[in-house]
Amino acid sequence: ILPRLLSMDQVFALCQQRKPKIEHGHVIFLNGISSAGKTTTYRELKKALSNTNLPMHHFHSSAKYAPSDTVPLKKRFPNTRQRARYLSQLAINHAETGAIGVVDFNDYWHAYLNDASSCLLGSNVLATAVLLYVSPKDIVQRTAKRLAENRKKPIGQGGEEVRSAWASLQEFGVLFQGTPTKTDKSVEYISRKELLKVLTDAQASELLDKSDVKMLYQMLRRFLTSVLALDSEADGVWIEPRWEYDVVVNTSKHRPTQVGNKIVKQLEEAQKTHRKSVLQQDAIPQAQAQETYGDGVYHEPHCQYCYYAIKKANIDAAGDPNARAQLDLPICGQCLDRMQTILTKPGDIPVPPDMSGYSAESKHHHNPPQLAAVHPPSL
């Protein structure tokens, strides 16, 4: 009698029944742009590792409290970059006691992970840096789906929390780069024609005035074709991360269960070989160049107008290169130009230093210049 063939769902269920060979504490750093599926991946990891009998904790900056903490996270650390560093250190401490700590970042400038790398130096804890990849096409489709779902919810219950596809595509251009040939780090191939269609689809899904949407389309087209090396005669490029990770998982091609299982395999390999994470190597050198605007110190990648806008919105976010995502600021043409310069110049990409310690005298609100003349319309 021939054996009965199993469906894919049954195969995945059997894989989950297998007890993962995870016996020691471990810290997992999950990074990815908005819409990459970090929360979903954490849930899958929790299910996959549920029979290891190891405590598991989730650390993310949007939570009200950190695990085992009684002080509200934003009150303890108003500074966004200090908060990320605190969560990294907390997860490392948990891992050193035999638990599994999962740190969830939206760190497209790799600044929080650079700080986490500093926290890991000198520690023997096992760590794995995971990058979740989502294709530009899926960014637009997932955003449209979430917007449609949230429009059905009452105001104040999530409808205003979905970020635009434009913001996520901007993050994509920072976190990933294009190369003419396939390498061992390549995630997928994307053609110029495909990218332009994605931008057209994003344009069609927006509810803004047509002239405003056209301006956003033009800005993102110029930015993405440049930073992904698609502004030349090349028909397409291979997409790969700009920074090193222990594992990169394509969430556009794999089901959430498969994504979780791929990460678990990396954890098992690390537990078996005691290999060091890429984050346990030397931290990325801090940027040295700086410019001064008014009473504050400017560091890439924000223009002076956005620096003042960030400072006015949240003084403690000044100096955080990911502040635009933290505060959900609109796309800025001048900032895109600065990002493009940073990302396309030769050499390593500098990480802006942590500015949490800059002088108290500079910590007062400035009225930002009128932005209408230099900013595109708000999203």
Side-chain angles (χ1 to χ4, degrees), residues 4 51 61 72 94 128 162 193 269 356:
R4 182 171 60 90
N51 55 0
S61 58
H94 275 65
T128 298
V162 178
K193 182 178 179 180
E269 180 66 22
S356 58

Side-chain angles (χ1 to χ4, degrees), residues 3-72:
R4 182 171 60 90
L5 296 178
L6 299 178
S7 68
M8 290 300 293
D9 290 335
Q10 289 172 318
V11 171
F12 293 147
L14 287 174
C15 290
Q16 283 190 308
Q17 291 174 10
R18 181 184 68 84
K19 184 175 181 179
K21 298 177 182 179
I22 310 294
E23 300 174 351
H24 307 287
H26 210 113
V27 58
I28 306 165
F29 293 94
L30 280 181
N31 191 25
I33 64 172
S34 306
S35 305
K38 296 184 290 293
T39 302
T40 301
T41 299
Y42 170 75
R43 288 197 293 262
E44 291 299 332
L45 283 173
K46 191 172 183 179
K47 287 193 293 184
L49 298 173
S50 61
N51 55 0
T52 61
N53 298 321
L54 295 179
M56 190 169 181
H57 304 285
H58 190 198
F59 302 84
H60 57 105
S61 58
S62 61
K64 186 173 183 180
Y65 295 94
S68 306
D69 206 345
T70 57
V71 179

Side-chain angles (χ1 to χ4, degrees), residues 254-270:
H254 300 290
R255 300 182 183 183
T257 304
Q258 291 175 300
V259 172
N261 288 338
K262 284 179 177 292
I263 296 172
V264 169
K265 286 183 179 179
Q266 287 292 322
L267 303 186
E268 290 178 324
E269 180 66 22

Side-chain angles (χ1 to χ4, degrees), residues 24-27 88-101 119-126 280:
H24 307 287
H26 210 113
V27 58
S88 295
Q89 188 61 62
L90 208 57
I92 292 168
N93 294 345
H94 275 65
E96 288 174 342
T97 64
I100 298 175
C119 294
L120 282 166
L121 293 178
S123 173
N124 293 321
V125 70
L126 293 169
Q280 289 167 301

Side-chain angles (χ1 to χ4, degrees), residues 307-328:
Y307 172 78
Y308 286 130
I310 290 168
K311 201 172 177 187
K312 186 173 183 179
N314 180 3
I315 187 69
D316 293 296
D320 184 345
N322 299 307
R324 182 173 300 280
Q326 293 281 352
L327 301 175
D328 203 13

Side-chain angles (χ1 to χ4, degrees), residues 164-214:
S164 75
W166 302 107
S168 296
L169 288 169
Q170 172 189 270
E171 296 171 10
F172 182 92
V174 176
L175 195 49
F176 298 96
Q177 63 186 354
T179 61
T181 56
K182 187 176 183 180
T183 70
D184 57 352
K185 296 192 298 181
S186 298
V187 183
E188 73 171 357
Y189 181 85
I190 183 170
S191 67
R192 179 184 175 87
K193 182 178 179 180
E194 181 182 352
L195 178 65
L196 296 182
K197 185 179 186 306
V198 166
L199 293 174
T200 301
D201 291 343
Q203 189 177 209
S205 66
E206 276 290 353
L207 299 177
L208 301 176
D209 182 80
K210 288 185 177 180
S211 62
D212 296 344
V213 174
K214 184 177 180 180

